[in-house]
Amino acid sequence: MIECERLTKRFGTFTAVDHVSFKIGKGSIFGFLGPNGSGKSTVIRLLCGLLQPSDGQARIAGLDVVRELDQIKSLIGYMSQKFSLYDELTAHENLTFYARLYGLRGAALKQRYDQLVGLTHLEPYLSRRAGLLSGGWRQRLAMACSLMHRPSVLFLDEPTAGIDPVARRELWDLLFEFSSNGMTLFVTTHYMDEAERCSHVGYIYMSKLVVCGEPDELKQLPMVNPTDARRIDVTCDHVTTGLQVVRRLPGVRTATVFGQSMHLLVDKDTPEDFIRAELARAGIPHADIRPIAPSLEDVFVTLTSNANQGGGA
Amino acid sequence: MKLPFRGFSAILYKEFLVVFRDPLTLFFMFVPPLIQLVAFGFALDTDVKHISTLVLDEDRTRESRELVDQFVNTQTFRVVGEVHSVTELADAIRRGQAYVGLQIPPGFTRDLAAGRTARVQVLIDGSNSTIASSSLNTAINVGFRSAMLRLVARTGMRDLPVEVRPQILYNPEMRAPNFFVPGVIGLVLQIATMFATSMSLVRERERGTLEQLMVSPLSRWGLMLGKLVPYLCIAMLMAAGLIGIMQSVFRVPIAGDIRALVIATLLYLFALLSLGLLISTRAQNQIQALQMCMVFILPSIFFSGFIFPRETMPWIFYAIGTILPATYYIELQRAIVLRGACLADSWANIAVLAGMGVGVFSLCALQFKQKMA
């Protein structure tokens, strides 16, 4: 559905997107991750035709985003970071405006309007001005607006930034529903739990696409699972102190805090008893250690540090 | 598939809602122009009358008092007091007590009687050029007339040998409001309309809604026209209000064809709103848009012929005036309102305004890039 080939965007001497290539199938939820300023939004804007690519090409539904933009426009929906709504208009007026913008009139407008209002549960807020809605409701309204014309591809730029956890979960439920109806979703996010729910993920770092694939595939990557090392989860008291201890130990390659525990990448031959004993010596007894599979975050942390060392992926 | 004005009705719907949703914006669009018109209309009065004058009468005869009366009878001068020395007279003018000092020396009547030139001195404060030139002209006239009448009396003729009978057409009382108010309407409309549209696209750019519009199949002609039409309606209402005030408050009747005035106003507003939109497509934020508007508004005050006749300007300022819509509109206003021109008389200026409007509007749509970079 979406294809990029060596897609590149330069702003003066700065390359914001550097030879990015990927393919996204119809009906998939593509999670696009990367630190702030890595080029996520630029890729979305290139795909939506808001920016002119400096090099390479991109196609949506087989149509070129530069030459066939006019046809693409009615196929895509775009929900920007800021949930661009007209604050002085009510929710109802915002919806009506976007519907008319895409040429919906009369009965067709009414039908689609009712459908989306039902889907997003916006009824109680229809007569309220968009500027007075809370973050979660703004987001729903923005989404309903961007869906009015039944796009086959929906781009969402950090749709859950600044939204409470309940609203986040409900948004994702909606996204799954859309995707099961055959809509292709392109979502940028900072949340790993959201990334885990995507059917495909891509990770962009310093303008380059570091990796792209299904989450499970990525966790199997050899560079994430070195043959001479293994991943363990260490659950203990005082994790932050524990982290300082284990980081100094020989045989420990990386150590990161995950809530109440630490994820360690250690040499294969480092015994668990050794770690347990060292933690006890530092005043942290009863450490619970078990082997784990890498998480997506582990994947991205590993790939980022590899990229920083100049290795790339 | 590709309709040239695609999305126009959606934008029109939204713009009307936005405009009427915000009473404050509407208030600031409507009320200041009305106040400005009334204020400027009254303030811009070059009818110089009753200039404060001090008299130093050292002759103190019937003839000298008659001369003072002749000055006063012109309506240009008003005696505010008498002084007793030349220094006192000069001091009073320097202090701003009076603009004019009339000094009649001791031998005035004696010289008159003896057939010698009787001299009178008039001191004029030159710091206000309008008052000074008016005083100067009137004083010289009074002198000429007085001298003439005496010469006529000596020759035994009954009337002056030559008499000029000026007849002022179109504004017979030479009222300043008749001259200025149509111009003020043009300027006030320009300020209100240009600010309104120059903000419109910039505001959407700042808020991020422009991006949302650019990913939609909206055509740029549709966008521009949808943005312009609501303001055109509002501005026409405003123009009607201003012209109403001109007739009722300033008692300036419309001598000419009202249809010509409507057409001229419509085209003028269209040109200005397009110019505002053009600014809006270029400016990155509202402050920039404001500054760009000022670039057009100040020259419109000075170079459009609103106050100073363009014919006397150096060629560069004359040229600047040529490209300002206000120049043509103010000229049309004066022609239609004062000289009673009809549509056929005004077609040249109307055509220029129409050309400017269509040209600038097309430029807006054509150079508006639906890309950010």
PDB file of all heavy atoms in Angstrom, chain A residues 154-180:
ATOM      1  N   LEU A 154      -4.362   5.980   6.650  1.00  0.00           N
ATOM      2  CA  LEU A 154      -4.453   7.061   7.627  1.00  0.00           C
ATOM      3  C   LEU A 154      -3.084   7.258   8.271  1.00  0.00           C
ATOM      4  O   LEU A 154      -2.485   6.308   8.772  1.00  0.00           O
ATOM      5  CB  LEU A 154      -5.499   6.739   8.697  1.00  0.00           C
ATOM      6  CG  LEU A 154      -5.725   7.813   9.764  1.00  0.00           C
ATOM      7  CD1 LEU A 154      -6.205   9.109   9.142  1.00  0.00           C
ATOM      8  CD2 LEU A 154      -6.731   7.333  10.807  1.00  0.00           C
ATOM      9  N   PHE A 155      -2.604   8.494   8.198  1.00  0.00           N
ATOM     10  CA  PHE A 155      -1.332   8.830   8.841  1.00  0.00           C
ATOM     11  C   PHE A 155      -1.628   9.506  10.176  1.00  0.00           C
ATOM     12  O   PHE A 155      -2.389  10.470  10.223  1.00  0.00           O
ATOM     13  CB  PHE A 155      -0.528   9.795   7.972  1.00  0.00           C
ATOM     14  CG  PHE A 155      -0.054   9.185   6.696  1.00  0.00           C
ATOM     15  CD1 PHE A 155      -0.802   9.297   5.539  1.00  0.00           C
ATOM     16  CD2 PHE A 155       1.144   8.492   6.648  1.00  0.00           C
ATOM     17  CE1 PHE A 155      -0.374   8.726   4.352  1.00  0.00           C
ATOM     18  CE2 PHE A 155       1.592   7.931   5.461  1.00  0.00           C
ATOM     19  CZ  PHE A 155       0.829   8.048   4.313  1.00  0.00           C
ATOM     20  N   LEU A 156      -1.042   9.011  11.232  1.00  0.00           N
ATOM     21  CA  LEU A 156      -1.251   9.615  12.547  1.00  0.00           C
ATOM     22  C   LEU A 156       0.105   9.992  13.129  1.00  0.00           C
ATOM     23  O   LEU A 156       0.954   9.116  13.342  1.00  0.00           O
ATOM     24  CB  LEU A 156      -1.976   8.645  13.484  1.00  0.00           C
ATOM     25  CG  LEU A 156      -3.347   8.163  13.021  1.00  0.00           C
ATOM     26  CD1 LEU A 156      -3.282   6.707  12.600  1.00  0.00           C
ATOM     27  CD2 LEU A 156      -4.383   8.344  14.117  1.00  0.00           C
ATOM     28  N   ASP A 157       0.321  11.267  13.330  1.00  0.00           N
ATOM     29  CA  ASP A 157       1.610  11.732  13.844  1.00  0.00           C
ATOM     30  C   ASP A 157       1.503  11.924  15.352  1.00  0.00           C
ATOM     31  O   ASP A 157       0.875  12.863  15.821  1.00  0.00           O
ATOM     32  CB  ASP A 157       1.987  13.054  13.155  1.00  0.00           C
ATOM     33  CG  ASP A 157       3.474  13.343  13.282  1.00  0.00           C
ATOM     34  OD1 ASP A 157       4.171  12.570  13.961  1.00  0.00           O
ATOM     35  OD2 ASP A 157       3.931  14.342  12.691  1.00  0.00           O
ATOM     36  N   GLU A 158       2.083  11.003  16.085  1.00  0.00           N
ATOM     37  CA  GLU A 158       2.025  10.988  17.552  1.00  0.00           C
ATOM     38  C   GLU A 158       0.609  11.241  18.068  1.00  0.00           C
ATOM     39  O   GLU A 158       0.354  12.203  18.790  1.00  0.00           O
ATOM     40  CB  GLU A 158       3.001  12.011  18.135  1.00  0.00           C
ATOM     41  CG  GLU A 158       4.433  11.622  17.826  1.00  0.00           C
ATOM     42  CD  GLU A 158       5.446  12.449  18.585  1.00  0.00           C
ATOM     43  OE1 GLU A 158       5.085  13.025  19.626  1.00  0.00           O
ATOM     44  OE2 GLU A 158       6.591  12.499  18.140  1.00  0.00           O
ATOM     45  N   PRO A 159      -0.305  10.351  17.722  1.00  0.00           N
ATOM     46  CA  PRO A 159      -1.709  10.594  18.102  1.00  0.00           C
ATOM     47  C   PRO A 159      -1.928  10.513  19.602  1.00  0.00           C
ATOM     48  O   PRO A 159      -2.925  11.023  20.098  1.00  0.00           O
ATOM     49  CB  PRO A 159      -2.466   9.470  17.392  1.00  0.00           C
ATOM     50  CG  PRO A 159      -1.465   8.388  17.214  1.00  0.00           C
ATOM     51  CD  PRO A 159      -0.146   9.076  17.015  1.00  0.00           C
ATOM     52  N   THR A 160      -1.022   9.871  20.331  1.00  0.00           N
ATOM     53  CA  THR A 160      -1.289   9.664  21.752  1.00  0.00           C
ATOM     54  C   THR A 160      -0.413  10.529  22.644  1.00  0.00           C
ATOM     55  O   THR A 160      -0.403  10.354  23.855  1.00  0.00           O
ATOM     56  CB  THR A 160      -1.069   8.184  22.120  1.00  0.00           C
ATOM     57  OG1 THR A 160       0.219   7.790  21.662  1.00  0.00           O
ATOM     58  CG2 THR A 160      -2.123   7.311  21.499  1.00  0.00           C
ATOM     59  N   ALA A 161       0.307  11.487  22.045  1.00  0.00           N
ATOM     60  CA  ALA A 161       1.150  12.362  22.873  1.00  0.00           C
ATOM     61  C   ALA A 161       0.253  13.229  23.750  1.00  0.00           C
ATOM     62  O   ALA A 161      -0.670  13.879  23.268  1.00  0.00           O
ATOM     63  CB  ALA A 161       2.017  13.236  21.976  1.00  0.00           C
ATOM     64  N   GLY A 162       0.500  13.212  25.032  1.00  0.00           N
ATOM     65  CA  GLY A 162      -0.255  14.071  25.949  1.00  0.00           C
ATOM     66  C   GLY A 162      -1.675  13.604  26.209  1.00  0.00           C
ATOM     67  O   GLY A 162      -2.525  14.389  26.619  1.00  0.00           O
ATOM     68  N   ILE A 163      -1.954  12.336  25.981  1.00  0.00           N
ATOM     69  CA  ILE A 163      -3.305  11.804  26.182  1.00  0.00           C
ATOM     70  C   ILE A 163      -3.262  10.831  27.355  1.00  0.00           C
ATOM     71  O   ILE A 163      -2.297  10.090  27.524  1.00  0.00           O
ATOM     72  CB  ILE A 163      -3.749  11.051  24.905  1.00  0.00           C
ATOM     73  CG1 ILE A 163      -3.733  12.001  23.712  1.00  0.00           C
ATOM     74  CG2 ILE A 163      -5.110  10.424  25.086  1.00  0.00           C
ATOM     75  CD1 ILE A 163      -4.669  13.153  23.849  1.00  0.00           C
ATOM     76  N   ASP A 164      -4.320  10.804  28.145  1.00  0.00           N
ATOM     77  CA  ASP A 164      -4.302   9.922  29.323  1.00  0.00           C
ATOM     78  C   ASP A 164      -4.383   8.457  28.888  1.00  0.00           C
ATOM     79  O   ASP A 164      -4.804   8.143  27.774  1.00  0.00           O
ATOM     80  CB  ASP A 164      -5.431  10.307  30.290  1.00  0.00           C
ATOM     81  CG  ASP A 164      -6.795  10.039  29.703  1.00  0.00           C
ATOM     82  OD1 ASP A 164      -7.197   8.852  29.671  1.00  0.00           O
ATOM     83  OD2 ASP A 164      -7.438  10.996  29.248  1.00  0.00           O
ATOM     84  N   PRO A 165      -3.962   7.525  29.767  1.00  0.00           N
ATOM     85  CA  PRO A 165      -3.831   6.106  29.385  1.00  0.00           C
ATOM     86  C   PRO A 165      -5.134   5.487  28.899  1.00  0.00           C
ATOM     87  O   PRO A 165      -5.123   4.674  27.973  1.00  0.00           O
ATOM     88  CB  PRO A 165      -3.387   5.431  30.685  1.00  0.00           C
ATOM     89  CG  PRO A 165      -2.827   6.518  31.519  1.00  0.00           C
ATOM     90  CD  PRO A 165      -3.518   7.771  31.139  1.00  0.00           C
ATOM     91  N   VAL A 166      -6.262   5.891  29.492  1.00  0.00           N
ATOM     92  CA  VAL A 166      -7.533   5.299  29.070  1.00  0.00           C
ATOM     93  C   VAL A 166      -7.838   5.706  27.629  1.00  0.00           C
ATOM     94  O   VAL A 166      -8.170   4.878  26.782  1.00  0.00           O
ATOM     95  CB  VAL A 166      -8.672   5.747  30.012  1.00  0.00           C
ATOM     96  CG1 VAL A 166      -9.987   5.131  29.552  1.00  0.00           C
ATOM     97  CG2 VAL A 166      -8.363   5.348  31.438  1.00  0.00           C
ATOM     98  N   ALA A 167      -7.688   7.002  27.354  1.00  0.00           N
ATOM     99  CA  ALA A 167      -7.939   7.498  26.005  1.00  0.00           C
ATOM    100  C   ALA A 167      -6.982   6.832  25.011  1.00  0.00           C
ATOM    101  O   ALA A 167      -7.365   6.531  23.876  1.00  0.00           O
ATOM    102  CB  ALA A 167      -7.782   9.010  25.956  1.00  0.00           C
ATOM    103  N   ARG A 168      -5.763   6.584  25.449  1.00  0.00           N
ATOM    104  CA  ARG A 168      -4.776   5.931  24.584  1.00  0.00           C
ATOM    105  C   ARG A 168      -5.239   4.548  24.204  1.00  0.00           C
ATOM    106  O   ARG A 168      -5.218   4.160  23.039  1.00  0.00           O
ATOM    107  CB  ARG A 168      -3.460   5.791  25.363  1.00  0.00           C
ATOM    108  CG  ARG A 168      -2.388   6.733  24.913  1.00  0.00           C
ATOM    109  CD  ARG A 168      -1.149   6.535  25.733  1.00  0.00           C
ATOM    110  NE  ARG A 168      -0.488   5.292  25.417  1.00  0.00           N
ATOM    111  CZ  ARG A 168       0.510   4.782  26.125  1.00  0.00           C
ATOM    112  NH1 ARG A 168       0.948   5.412  27.199  1.00  0.00           N
ATOM    113  NH2 ARG A 168       1.073   3.672  25.782  1.00  0.00           N
ATOM    114  N   ARG A 169      -5.675   3.787  25.233  1.00  0.00           N
ATOM    115  CA  ARG A 169      -6.124   2.433  24.974  1.00  0.00           C
ATOM    116  C   ARG A 169      -7.323   2.442  24.037  1.00  0.00           C
ATOM    117  O   ARG A 169      -7.395   1.667  23.076  1.00  0.00           O
ATOM    118  CB  ARG A 169      -6.497   1.765  26.291  1.00  0.00           C
ATOM    119  CG  ARG A 169      -7.182   0.433  26.114  1.00  0.00           C
ATOM    120  CD  ARG A 169      -7.048  -0.376  27.335  1.00  0.00           C
ATOM    121  NE  ARG A 169      -5.638  -0.593  27.645  1.00  0.00           N
ATOM    122  CZ  ARG A 169      -5.143  -1.787  27.953  1.00  0.00           C
ATOM    123  NH1 ARG A 169      -5.924  -2.824  27.987  1.00  0.00           N
ATOM    124  NH2 ARG A 169      -3.869  -1.926  28.238  1.00  0.00           N
ATOM    125  N   GLU A 170      -8.254   3.367  24.259  1.00  0.00           N
ATOM    126  CA  GLU A 170      -9.454   3.410  23.419  1.00  0.00           C
ATOM    127  C   GLU A 170      -9.107   3.766  21.980  1.00  0.00           C
ATOM    128  O   GLU A 170      -9.693   3.235  21.039  1.00  0.00           O
ATOM    129  CB  GLU A 170     -10.461   4.414  23.993  1.00  0.00           C
ATOM    130  CG  GLU A 170     -11.133   3.865  25.236  1.00  0.00           C
ATOM    131  CD  GLU A 170     -11.956   4.892  25.980  1.00  0.00           C
ATOM    132  OE1 GLU A 170     -11.868   6.096  25.653  1.00  0.00           O
ATOM    133  OE2 GLU A 170     -12.671   4.490  26.916  1.00  0.00           O
ATOM    134  N   LEU A 171      -8.119   4.662  21.838  1.00  0.00           N
ATOM    135  CA  LEU A 171      -7.696   5.005  20.486  1.00  0.00           C
ATOM    136  C   LEU A 171      -7.156   3.771  19.773  1.00  0.00           C
ATOM    137  O   LEU A 171      -7.475   3.510  18.612  1.00  0.00           O
ATOM    138  CB  LEU A 171      -6.628   6.093  20.524  1.00  0.00           C
ATOM    139  CG  LEU A 171      -6.123   6.425  19.129  1.00  0.00           C
ATOM    140  CD1 LEU A 171      -6.888   7.587  18.545  1.00  0.00           C
ATOM    141  CD2 LEU A 171      -4.645   6.710  19.095  1.00  0.00           C
ATOM    142  N   TRP A 172      -6.340   3.017  20.496  1.00  0.00           N
ATOM    143  CA  TRP A 172      -5.764   1.833  19.860  1.00  0.00           C
ATOM    144  C   TRP A 172      -6.829   0.808  19.510  1.00  0.00           C
ATOM    145  O   TRP A 172      -6.759   0.134  18.483  1.00  0.00           O
ATOM    146  CB  TRP A 172      -4.653   1.234  20.728  1.00  0.00           C
ATOM    147  CG  TRP A 172      -3.372   1.949  20.425  1.00  0.00           C
ATOM    148  CD1 TRP A 172      -2.879   3.044  21.052  1.00  0.00           C
ATOM    149  CD2 TRP A 172      -2.487   1.647  19.349  1.00  0.00           C
ATOM    150  NE1 TRP A 172      -1.721   3.451  20.444  1.00  0.00           N
ATOM    151  CE2 TRP A 172      -1.445   2.621  19.405  1.00  0.00           C
ATOM    152  CE3 TRP A 172      -2.449   0.682  18.353  1.00  0.00           C
ATOM    153  CZ2 TRP A 172      -0.395   2.626  18.497  1.00  0.00           C
ATOM    154  CZ3 TRP A 172      -1.392   0.687  17.455  1.00  0.00           C
ATOM    155  CH2 TRP A 172      -0.386   1.656  17.529  1.00  0.00           C
ATOM    156  N   ASP A 173      -7.840   0.675  20.357  1.00  0.00           N
ATOM    157  CA  ASP A 173      -8.943  -0.227  20.024  1.00  0.00           C
ATOM    158  C   ASP A 173      -9.575   0.185  18.695  1.00  0.00           C
ATOM    159  O   ASP A 173      -9.880  -0.652  17.844  1.00  0.00           O
ATOM    160  CB  ASP A 173      -9.997  -0.210  21.139  1.00  0.00           C
ATOM    161  CG  ASP A 173      -9.475  -0.893  22.392  1.00  0.00           C
ATOM    162  OD1 ASP A 173      -8.468  -1.615  22.290  1.00  0.00           O
ATOM    163  OD2 ASP A 173     -10.067  -0.682  23.481  1.00  0.00           O
ATOM    164  N   LEU A 174      -9.749   1.519  18.538  1.00  0.00           N
ATOM    165  CA  LEU A 174     -10.314   2.027  17.285  1.00  0.00           C
ATOM    166  C   LEU A 174      -9.404   1.694  16.106  1.00  0.00           C
ATOM    167  O   LEU A 174      -9.864   1.260  15.043  1.00  0.00           O
ATOM    168  CB  LEU A 174     -10.494   3.541  17.357  1.00  0.00           C
ATOM    169  CG  LEU A 174     -11.757   4.055  18.032  1.00  0.00           C
ATOM    170  CD1 LEU A 174     -11.712   5.579  18.112  1.00  0.00           C
ATOM    171  CD2 LEU A 174     -12.979   3.613  17.242  1.00  0.00           C
ATOM    172  N   LEU A 175      -8.101   1.904  16.322  1.00  0.00           N
ATOM    173  CA  LEU A 175      -7.159   1.654  15.228  1.00  0.00           C
ATOM    174  C   LEU A 175      -7.218   0.199  14.772  1.00  0.00           C
ATOM    175  O   LEU A 175      -7.187  -0.091  13.576  1.00  0.00           O
ATOM    176  CB  LEU A 175      -5.729   2.018  15.662  1.00  0.00           C
ATOM    177  CG  LEU A 175      -5.473   3.494  15.975  1.00  0.00           C
ATOM    178  CD1 LEU A 175      -3.988   3.750  16.233  1.00  0.00           C
ATOM    179  CD2 LEU A 175      -5.951   4.383  14.838  1.00  0.00           C
ATOM    180  N   PHE A 176      -7.316  -0.720  15.741  1.00  0.00           N
ATOM    181  CA  PHE A 176      -7.404  -2.140  15.373  1.00  0.00           C
ATOM    182  C   PHE A 176      -8.655  -2.408  14.559  1.00  0.00           C
ATOM    183  O   PHE A 176      -8.637  -3.164  13.599  1.00  0.00           O
ATOM    184  CB  PHE A 176      -7.400  -3.022  16.635  1.00  0.00           C
ATOM    185  CG  PHE A 176      -6.021  -3.196  17.192  1.00  0.00           C
ATOM    186  CD1 PHE A 176      -5.716  -2.791  18.482  1.00  0.00           C
ATOM    187  CD2 PHE A 176      -5.010  -3.758  16.415  1.00  0.00           C
ATOM    188  CE1 PHE A 176      -4.442  -2.935  18.979  1.00  0.00           C
ATOM    189  CE2 PHE A 176      -3.725  -3.913  16.914  1.00  0.00           C
ATOM    190  CZ  PHE A 176      -3.438  -3.491  18.206  1.00  0.00           C
ATOM    191  N   GLU A 177      -9.732  -1.717  14.957  1.00  0.00           N
ATOM    192  CA  GLU A 177     -10.975  -1.915  14.231  1.00  0.00           C
ATOM    193  C   GLU A 177     -10.821  -1.459  12.779  1.00  0.00           C
ATOM    194  O   GLU A 177     -11.229  -2.152  11.850  1.00  0.00           O
ATOM    195  CB  GLU A 177     -12.076  -1.121  14.934  1.00  0.00           C
ATOM    196  CG  GLU A 177     -13.458  -1.651  14.649  1.00  0.00           C
ATOM    197  CD  GLU A 177     -14.507  -0.910  15.458  1.00  0.00           C
ATOM    198  OE1 GLU A 177     -14.236  -0.605  16.647  1.00  0.00           O
ATOM    199  OE2 GLU A 177     -15.569  -0.605  14.888  1.00  0.00           O
ATOM    200  N   PHE A 178     -10.206  -0.282  12.607  1.00  0.00           N
ATOM    201  CA  PHE A 178     -10.002   0.236  11.245  1.00  0.00           C
ATOM    202  C   PHE A 178      -9.160  -0.734  10.435  1.00  0.00           C
ATOM    203  O   PHE A 178      -9.441  -1.001   9.275  1.00  0.00           O
ATOM    204  CB  PHE A 178      -9.304   1.596  11.272  1.00  0.00           C
ATOM    205  CG  PHE A 178     -10.082   2.656  11.988  1.00  0.00           C
ATOM    206  CD1 PHE A 178      -9.423   3.692  12.647  1.00  0.00           C
ATOM    207  CD2 PHE A 178     -11.459   2.635  12.008  1.00  0.00           C
ATOM    208  CE1 PHE A 178     -10.125   4.670  13.307  1.00  0.00           C
ATOM    209  CE2 PHE A 178     -12.174   3.606  12.668  1.00  0.00           C
ATOM    210  CZ  PHE A 178     -11.504   4.628  13.322  1.00  0.00           C
ATOM    211  N   SER A 179      -8.088  -1.205  11.062  1.00  0.00           N
ATOM    212  CA  SER A 179      -7.163  -2.049  10.318  1.00  0.00           C
ATOM    213  C   SER A 179      -7.842  -3.357   9.927  1.00  0.00           C
ATOM    214  O   SER A 179      -7.608  -3.892   8.850  1.00  0.00           O
ATOM    215  CB  SER A 179      -5.899  -2.247  11.136  1.00  0.00           C
ATOM    216  OG  SER A 179      -5.641  -3.583  11.372  1.00  0.00           O
ATOM    217  N   SER A 180      -8.707  -3.863  10.795  1.00  0.00           N
ATOM    218  CA  SER A 180      -9.400  -5.102  10.441  1.00  0.00           C
ATOM    219  C   SER A 180     -10.375  -4.871   9.288  1.00  0.00           C
ATOM    220  O   SER A 180     -10.760  -5.801   8.593  1.00  0.00           O
ATOM    221  CB  SER A 180     -10.124  -5.676  11.654  1.00  0.00           C
ATOM    222  OG  SER A 180     -11.163  -4.810  12.038  1.00  0.00           O
TER     223      SER A 180
END
